[in-house]
Amino acid sequence: MAKVANRMCGITPARQPHNTPLSSKGCRTRPTKTPYRSLATCRAPHNERTVAIEGGEGRGCNRRSLVLTGPLAVWFMGTTPEIASAAARNKELEKVFYDAMDAMGNADPIKAEALWTRAIELAPELSPSWSNRGTLKLQRGRWEEAAADLQRARELEEAQVGQEGVNSLVLNNLGNCKGALGDWDGAKADYLAAAKDPSMEEVARANYALALFQTGDDKAALKEARQLVRRDPQFWDMRAATTAFLWGLGDEAGAENEWEKLKNLGGGLGAALYDSTNRVKARWPPRCTAALEAFLALERSAKALDYDGQMKEFRF
C-alpha cells in the first residue's frame, strides 16, 4: 500500500526528531525543511512536504495542524557562527537546546516552550530559539504570541544576513500566523518571500494559493494550484484544492474531472483520503475547506470552522 503523503497544505501537527523519511506523497517524495530548528551541525535528510503549522485553542486544539497528528519534526540547520559562539561560552544553552528538542519529540509542548524560553534568556540573539517557541505557540493557536516570536526571529536574521537571507521556514510560519490573525495581505507577502527558497517553494506557493482563495481571488488561486499540480501531478492536497477552487468558481464539470484524477491516485487511496473534509479542515483556511465540503455535498454553500472557533457559512 502506498504511504500517505504528508505534503499537505494548511496548518501541521508535531513530530518527532527524525533522520529518515516520514512519508511519501503517492510514490514520490522530495526533501524539505520541517517546522523546528536545532543546534545540530547538519541537516537531517527529510522527505516530508508540509505546508503550514498546527492551530490550537482558537480553532480547536486538536485540529489546526500542518500534517497528521504525530511526533514532532526537527529541522537540523547548519551551525552558524553565532550559535557556535554562544554554545561555546554557555554549555547550559547547548543542553537546553537538546532538552527542548527531546521535549518536542516526546510531544510535551509545555516543557518545550519553557525550555525555549530559557534558551532565549541565555542567548536572546539566537533566532532559532525564537522561531521554535513561536512555532510551538502557533501550533497551540496562540496566534498573536506566535507572530511576535516569529517576527523577532525574522528581525534577528535580517540584522545578521539581510532580508534575502531570512530563513524560509520562519517566513512561511509567520505567514501562517498572519493569516490566522486576518492579515492575509501580510501572509501572502511572507509566503512569496519564503517561496524564493527552492526547498520551500512548493510548500509556500501552496499556502499562497490557499490564501488567495480565502481572500476571494479565486481565479488566481486556481492558476497557482494548477501550476503546482502540473509540476507535480502527485501533489494530492493541491489536486483536492484545485477541485475545491473549480467548484467555488462554478465550474462543476471541471471540478468533477479533477476529482476523478484525484480519486485514481495511489490505486484509489486518493478517494479514500478526500471523501470528506476531515483531512483538510484541520489545516486549510475556512473558505477553502467550505468549498471542498460544498463540492462533496453537491451544494453551493457550506460551513467551516473559522480561526476564532466559530462556524461560518460560505456561498459559492
Side-chain angles (χ1 to χ4, degrees):
M1 180 177 176
K3 296 180 182 178
V4 176
N6 282 340
R7 186 190 55 172
M8 305 191 297
C9 318
I11 296 183
T12 307
R15 299 170 188 277
Q16 186 171 351
H18 215 288
N19 289 348
T20 56
L22 289 183
S23 66
S24 63
K25 199 173 77 46
C27 300
R28 303 193 296 131
T29 58
R30 294 182 184 173
T32 190
K33 296 172 184 175
T34 49
Y36 298 94
R37 306 166 63 193
S38 82
L39 285 173
T41 56
C42 64
R43 287 182 181 171
H46 207 292
N47 286 355
E48 179 184 20
R49 289 180 67 193
T50 56
V51 183
I53 39 75
E54 185 178 24
E57 289 90 351
R59 294 194 65 173
C61 186
N62 297 323
R63 306 190 42 181
R64 278 276 157 191
S65 59
L66 278 168
V67 263
L68 301 175
T69 303
L72 222 73
V74 177
W75 169 38
F76 290 90
M77 60 174 283
T79 299
T80 65
E82 292 80 7
I83 291 176
S85 175
R89 69 177 184 267
N90 195 332
K91 291 300 181 183
E92 182 185 357
L93 174 64
E94 185 174 11
K95 183 178 185 302
V96 167
F97 256 82
Y98 285 106
D99 286 349
M101 289 192 293
D102 285 343
M104 293 190 298
N106 292 324
D108 189 347
I110 295 176
K111 180 179 179 181
E113 183 179 332
L115 287 165
W116 289 125
T117 298
R118 179 57 181 157
I120 289 169
E121 292 171 351
L122 292 169
E125 72 276 17
L126 298 185
S127 67
S129 303
W130 292 94
S131 63
N132 287 341
R133 189 177 74 171
T135 300
L136 280 170
K137 290 177 178 179
L138 183 57
Q139 290 182 325
R140 301 177 71 193
R142 290 153 57 189
W143 318 123
E144 292 184 1
E145 294 177 49
D149 279 358
L150 289 161
Q151 180 61 33
R152 182 56 181 154
R154 179 181 195 166
E155 291 168 354
L156 287 168
E157 295 197 5
E158 286 179 344
Q160 293 170 3
V161 296
Q163 290 185 353
E164 296 302 315
V166 174
N167 184 274
S168 58
L169 187 63
V170 171
L171 295 170
N172 186 73
N173 284 358
L174 185 56
N176 291 329
C177 267
K178 290 178 179 178
L181 290 168
D183 180 11
W184 287 104
D185 288 341
K188 286 183 281 189
D190 287 341
Y191 293 145
L192 289 177
K196 294 178 182 179
D197 178 353
S199 70
M200 183 61 72
E201 181 182 2
E202 291 188 359
V203 167
R205 294 206 78 93
N207 274 342
Y208 179 64
L210 293 172
L212 286 169
F213 192 82
Q214 175 65 24
T215 54
D217 198 349
D218 299 358
K219 291 183 179 180
L222 178 61
K223 182 178 179 179
E224 283 288 334
R226 278 180 160 162
Q227 287 175 342
L228 288 165
V229 169
R230 179 176 294 174
R231 290 173 58 178
D232 184 355
Q234 297 292 323
F235 199 160
W236 295 13
D237 236 36
M238 274 293 99
R239 280 208 178 275
T242 301
T243 300
F245 297 168
L246 286 164
W247 189 263
L249 283 163
D251 185 354
E252 297 184 2
E256 293 289 353
N257 182 58
E258 194 65 37
W259 178 249
E260 286 301 313
K261 295 176 184 176
L262 175 62
K263 283 170 59 179
N264 293 328
L265 292 175
L269 185 58
L273 292 177
Y274 294 91
D275 63 355
S276 77
T277 57
N278 288 339
R279 187 163 175 82
V280 303
K281 65 184 179 182
R283 301 178 288 103
W284 289 7
R287 187 169 183 263
C288 305
T289 302
L292 183 59
E293 179 68 39
F295 167 78
L296 293 170
L298 297 176
E299 300 286 352
R300 299 311 308 173
S301 67
K303 293 181 179 180
L305 190 66
D306 207 345
Y307 290 98
D308 60 3
Q310 301 298 312
M311 294 297 294
K312 184 176 180 180
E313 184 173 11
F314 297 87
R315 297 186 178 276
F316 304 101

